[in-house]
Amino acid sequence: MALVNEHLMKLPDNYLFTDIAKRVNSFKVTHPKADIIHLGTGDVTRPIPQACAEAMKAAVDDLTHTETFHGYGPEQGYPFLTDAIVRHDYAQRGVSLTADEIFVSDGAKSDTGNIGDILRHDNSIGVTDPIYPAYIDSNVSCGRAGTLGGDNRWSNVVYIPCLAENNFIPQLPAQRVDIIYLCYPNNPTGSVLSKEELKKWVHYAIDNDTLILFDAAYEAYIRQPDIPHSIYEIKGAKKVAIEFRSFSKTAGFTGVRCGYTVIPKEVTAATLGGKRVSLNRLWSKRQNSKFNGASYIAQRGAAAVYTPEGKRQVREMTDYYMGNARLMKRHLDSTGLKVSGGENAPYLWVKAPKGLTSWQFFDHLLYNAHVASTPGIGFGPGGEGYIRLTAFGDRQECEEGMRRICRHL
Ligand code: PLP
């Protein structure tokens, strides 16, 4: 008899975006003529940069000729991409890494989930709250998160609150935690950490022998020059942090699929007996046993991000979304709503007025303004009383959505 992984069964069946779709669909049944503007989902809408598209077309051509055909590639990624990452994403920011510290993959969701394979099931974990739900979900499936309580909290997870009083900047936890997830720029609050703030976390990790899992999927949206793009800009971080990056939001690769994980050779964790083990070597083993590399075509596309045209086009695309964010923030501010984010991230975190819950405010906007948002409670208990709006839409739709919200608030 095959037995199932019962930990996975603990994950609630409801998936946030399915619940949203259900509510939107039932609204459509009763309001068939309503033209709904979607400002909720985190998917991008602009076409991929031309430089990436051309590189991928050329890569398809390569595959059609015997001399340039590529089959299985190196599991860690092609050197044309890992070298470009080291040079452009890190060396240019004063961070020294080698290509064998970069692991190219099919995206940050897989990597932030799969990284748990190289860590014991009984590590304690800490997450900032609210947060991108995939971090907790992936810990549920191996039992690390414990059980879900009536208060919507997992028993073995330390929730680190991000509160309006602190501008959604998390304070260090009072107790020690083995593994901490940080996501900056943050999904969903749109907040960022200054160098001073990030330094506190690196020092906490060094002092407490904590591993930081740093998700920088939105680094391309940072506009303030003094905000760190990588945790390795902080001295000592190479000993305690793994960093995740993605081409999804940088270059519109949500459908193409490509990202990478950085595991410096210095970063280690312990065996139960106290022996220190290189996580770079262990992740390499994990990838070699379960992953056959990201597609050659996607990697060629990703490498084009680092060409002069690619850089310009990526900037144009992210500027477009950040233009949406500015416009949305201006309108929402004018209504008196409390809004944060949107300056170094494509997300706006909006406090529900008059003590409404997340879902009540969601319904209010859907029924009155015909705008779909994302209820903050979907990102953890700390998200109750908020909604998230994203700047990934079309400019005219964003403007129209804002006009409608302003009219109805
Ligand atoms: N990390 C964060 C914080 C995200 O918000 C998302 C997607 O929304 C991802 C990772 C997923 O990235 P990818 O498309 O590379 O899997």
Side-chain angles (χ1 to χ4, degrees):
M1 177 173 58
L3 300 175
V4 298
N5 173 359
E6 292 187 33
H7 295 305
L8 199 50
M9 291 168 64
K10 292 184 220 156
L11 258 189
D13 284 333
N14 52 336
Y15 174 61
L16 176 62
F17 292 103
T18 315
D19 286 351
I20 293 172
K22 272 191 210 152
R23 291 221 184 190
V24 170
N25 286 339
S26 50
F27 170 78
K28 276 190 197 155
V29 171
T30 47
H31 303 76
K33 292 209 180 107
D35 162 32
I36 297 165
I37 293 180
H38 292 268
L39 297 178
T41 53
D43 201 355
V44 292
T45 56
R46 308 288 297 163
I48 54 172
Q50 197 55 31
C52 301
E54 277 162 20
M56 286 196 275
K57 283 183 200 161
V60 171
D61 265 355
D62 286 349
L63 300 185
T64 61
H65 296 96
T66 316
E67 314 78 60
T68 50
F69 172 76
H70 286 74
Y72 291 124
E75 278 95 353
Q76 262 193 254
Y78 283 100
F80 63 74
L81 180 55
T82 51
D83 288 345
I85 289 167
V86 164
R87 222 172 30 252
H88 295 275
D89 283 344
Y90 293 99
Q92 286 186 4
R93 294 195 178 277
V95 176
S96 158
L97 289 170
T98 52
D100 54 358
E101 295 176 304
I102 310 292
F103 295 81
V104 175
S105 71
D106 65 346
K109 188 169 191 178
S110 319
D111 285 355
T112 53
N114 292 334
I115 201 73
D117 279 8
I118 66 167
L119 300 162
R120 261 181 75 100
H121 68 280
D122 49 2
N123 279 296
S124 56
I125 62 164
V127 294
T128 55
D129 176 35
I131 198 57
Y132 177 54
Y135 307 148
I136 294 185
D137 292 356
S138 58
N139 278 290
V140 171
S141 55
C142 65
R144 205 179 284 124
T147 50
L148 186 61
D151 57 355
N152 218 9
R153 289 166 191 265
W154 292 89
S155 57
N156 294 345
V157 176
V158 173
Y159 290 83
I160 306 164
C162 295
L163 306 169
E165 299 89 278
N166 300 326
N167 262 334
F168 304 101
I169 303 301
Q171 306 299 296
L172 296 175
Q175 72 265 57
R176 81 158 290 286
V177 180
D178 296 317
I179 300 166
I180 287 186
Y181 289 83
L182 293 178
C183 169
Y184 288 96
N186 188 262
N187 178 13
T189 66
S191 57
V192 284
L193 290 189
S194 67
K195 227 171 200 159
E196 282 315 303
E197 288 294 339
L198 195 50
K199 230 184 237 175
K200 287 187 201 164
W201 288 93
V202 171
H203 291 169
Y204 169 91
I206 293 169
D207 293 346
N208 290 283
D209 199 358
T210 295
L211 176 68
I212 296 180
L213 301 178
F214 189 79
D215 186 345
Y218 297 95
E219 68 77 33
Y221 292 86
I222 294 174
R223 290 295 178 267
Q224 254 172 278
D226 50 344
I227 301 293
H229 287 237
S230 163
I231 194 165
Y232 305 121
E233 291 177 53
I234 309 298
K235 202 158 166 263
K238 281 213 249 168
K239 284 202 176 72
V240 293
I242 290 177
E243 180 162 294
F244 304 93
R245 293 271 185 113
S246 169
F247 294 97
S248 285
K249 309 299 161 81
T250 303
F253 273 37
T254 51
V256 175
R257 310 302 308 146
C258 197
Y260 66 89
T261 289
V262 184
I263 311 193
K265 294 202 188 107
E266 292 100 307
V267 67
T268 61
T271 62
L272 207 52
K275 186 172 163 247
R276 302 302 298 197
V277 174
S278 155
L279 294 185
N280 177 293
R281 294 253 297 280
L282 208 54
W283 181 244
S284 178
K285 261 190 201 173
R286 190 271 170 206
Q287 291 297 79
N288 289 347
S289 60
K290 287 197 178 174
F291 185 59
N292 252 342
S295 104
Y296 171 70
I297 301 167
Q299 291 191 61
R300 278 288 181 205
V305 162
Y306 302 105
T307 60
E309 319 80 72
K311 282 185 180 175
R312 188 174 46 72
Q313 291 161 6
V314 160
R315 181 67 190 205
E316 269 168 25
M317 191 184 73
T318 55
D319 276 348
Y320 178 92
Y321 293 135
M322 291 310 284
N324 286 349
R326 261 195 313 281
L327 172 157
M328 292 164 76
K329 199 163 163 50
R330 203 175 51 242
H331 277 84
L332 294 169
D333 281 342
S334 75
T335 63
L337 283 170
K338 290 204 171 70
V339 186
S340 57
E343 283 163 9
N344 294 290
Y347 294 122
L348 294 143
W349 191 236
V350 187
K351 174 96 181 120
K354 302 177 199 139
L356 295 180
T357 65
S358 295
W359 277 112
Q360 284 169 339
F361 191 34
F362 170 92
D363 281 340
H364 182 83
L365 293 181
L366 180 62
Y367 279 77
N368 295 294
H370 301 178
V371 167
S373 58
T374 311
I377 186 75
F379 299 97
E384 181 55 292
Y386 288 86
I387 56 151
R388 187 194 72 174
L389 295 178
T390 84
F392 286 131
D394 168 78
R395 175 67 48 85
Q396 281 182 348
E397 291 211 343
C398 281
E399 273 182 327
E400 175 56 19
M402 290 305 109
R403 267 197 293 274
R404 291 186 196 173
I405 290 178
C406 289
R407 247 195 329 267
H408 289 282
L409 283 174

